[in-house]
Amino acid sequence: MQQCEDSFEQLKRWTRRGPRWQKAVTLCLSDLEGDPIDPQVVRKAFEAAAKEAKMYLSP
């Protein structure tokens, strides 16, 4: 759940909000509301949103 909290805080700051951003936010909110989401699913959604917004920095 901590990963979703951190991801959600980052996502709220973004100005580019496309469909992948929406999916990442939806997954994070579901997790925060008690519907457990696999952390790898959240990570992939966050990375996809970052790429869509041209904010992705390769690790």
Side-chain angles (χ1 to χ4, degrees):
M1 185 184 295
Q2 182 63 41
Q3 181 180 1
C4 272
E5 288 178 29
D6 296 340
S7 297
F8 185 65
E9 288 303 315
Q10 287 296 317
L11 288 164
K12 289 192 312 185
R13 297 178 188 159
W14 295 10
T15 56
R16 293 183 180 172
R17 298 179 175 186
R20 291 186 174 113
W21 177 90
Q22 184 63 46
K23 181 177 179 178
V25 167
T26 300
L27 286 170
C28 285
L29 287 175
S30 291
D31 187 72
L32 293 172
E33 291 174 352
D35 184 18
I37 307 293
D38 182 340
Q40 290 301 318
V41 171
V42 173
R43 180 181 182 87
K44 287 181 182 181
F46 186 87
E47 287 178 2
K51 288 176 184 176
E52 178 183 65
K54 300 192 183 350
M55 297 175 63
Y56 183 75
L57 300 175
S58 181

